[in-house]
Amino acid sequence: MVSIVRYIFILSILFLVGCSRLDLHLAEKAYAQAKTTKQAEPIIAALNTLVMLDRELYQSKLNSAQMALVELQKAKSYMAESNFYLAYLASHKSYRTLPTKESKSVLIQVGRKLRYLLNVQANIVKSFQYLPKSIPALLSKYENKPAVEWDLIEVNSVIEQFVSSAKAIKRSLTIIELEKGTSLSAEIKLWQLALHSQLQMINQIKTHLINLALYSSANVLEKINVQLTEDSANLLSLVRENLAEEAMRPNFIKAKKEYQPYYHLNENLALASSSSRGNSHATWYSSWHSIEVEILENSASFSEYPLAFTDRAKKLSLFKDEAMTTELNLEQGLLNLSLFIGNHQAVYSLINKLNRDRMILNYGESSA
């Protein structure tokens, strides 16, 4: 407090002495000393004196310093209302214009409330990096190529990329959900909604590719189901059940061999699309595989196999209907990170400021 009074006293003397070159030199020296205090009052007092001596050079600096004080008061008011979004913007502007101890303290308090956004953004970046290139062309390729001709290694990689991309978006959303207590601003809520849409689009693309394979597989299984049912029914009408079952064994072996490429494709897709770690299948695979088994394996009682035809056909039909009606809307999300950022400029302006203040927020008052 004594030092502040001393600076103000010196500045008052300088003002009374007059506007000489020596006065300006002393005033500039006093201004430099005032800045070392990191307190607004002596800095603005020094600038007021300098404006008297050289208005052209120092008026804008005085205006900026006064504006910084106004922004600091705004930040404190917003902080009291738990509006950390606006509080941070005001405190950042204040500190970067006039770096005082108080503006730094407020910046740290509110900035740490929003620091989680940096982690959200890091996961968003990862999500876009995981996405395959040229997705529309990729979809067209698989839509126009028989599933049995798909390259298993390639399609597995594509599905895994979508799974990884979706996981990264989910992590972003989880982080935001955990921070709901910080009163999400309207801008961040819109950003959050966009992330939900992005996740839906990614999952739709993944599901669409899987459904293409399942639809083709279902068509093959339908033919096999009809053929095996007709053959088994004919044999059962001619000979005893055990003889009919034995006679049908080569037919089932042949059917399995015919279907084998589709079986391998679907199992690979189930492994690639699983969100669980380890060698586990996706949740959709269990019900699908049960249909494969029902058609390609003898039932406990062979005489019941033809009788279960309608039930098997209905299950296949349901899978086909679901595969055909699954929505795919690429406009629901975005395939390019730059476009996504462009749609949320307010949030990314905030994130850029948080990145600039990262060291201060991490190390607090001890940071430079």
Side-chain angles (χ1 to χ4, degrees), residues 114-247:
L114 297 174
R115 188 167 45 178
Y116 73 92
L117 296 175
L118 296 176
N119 291 330
V120 174
Q121 173 59 7
N123 280 293
I124 292 173
V125 171
K126 287 180 182 178
S127 178
F128 277 95
Q129 288 173 339
Y130 283 130
L131 286 177
K133 306 297 181 186
S134 305
I135 289 176
L138 182 75
L139 290 173
S140 178
K141 170 185 173 181
Y142 285 111
E143 287 167 351
N144 293 292
K145 189 174 186 179
V148 73
E149 296 179 14
W150 291 3
D151 184 313
L152 287 183
I153 295 176
E154 180 185 75
V155 74
N156 280 2
S157 176
V158 168
I159 294 296
E160 286 170 356
Q161 284 176 279
F162 284 119
V163 170
S164 296
S165 181
K167 282 183 178 179
I169 290 291
K170 284 180 182 177
R171 284 194 293 270
S172 288
L173 288 167
T174 298
I175 294 169
I176 295 175
E177 287 293 322
L178 292 174
E179 297 294 337
K180 273 191 172 178
T182 61
S183 302
L184 299 182
S185 69
E187 293 83 358
I188 294 175
K189 286 179 180 177
L190 287 174
W191 194 45
Q192 183 184 28
L193 287 174
L195 290 175
H196 278 293
S197 295
Q198 187 73 13
L199 178 60
Q200 288 179 342
M201 182 197 71
I202 293 168
N203 285 332
Q204 282 178 7
I205 297 171
K206 179 194 69 176
T207 301
H208 179 67
L209 289 173
I210 293 170
N211 283 343
L212 288 175
L214 293 183
Y215 187 83
S216 295
S217 302
N219 284 334
V220 175
L221 282 176
E222 278 184 333
K223 294 176 182 177
I224 292 174
N225 188 35
V226 170
Q227 190 63 55
L228 290 178
T229 299
E230 289 179 352
D231 292 346
S232 58
N234 287 336
L235 282 171
L236 284 167
S237 68
L238 297 173
V239 298
R240 292 194 304 272
E241 181 177 344
N242 62 328
L243 294 176
E245 183 176 3
E246 183 64 27

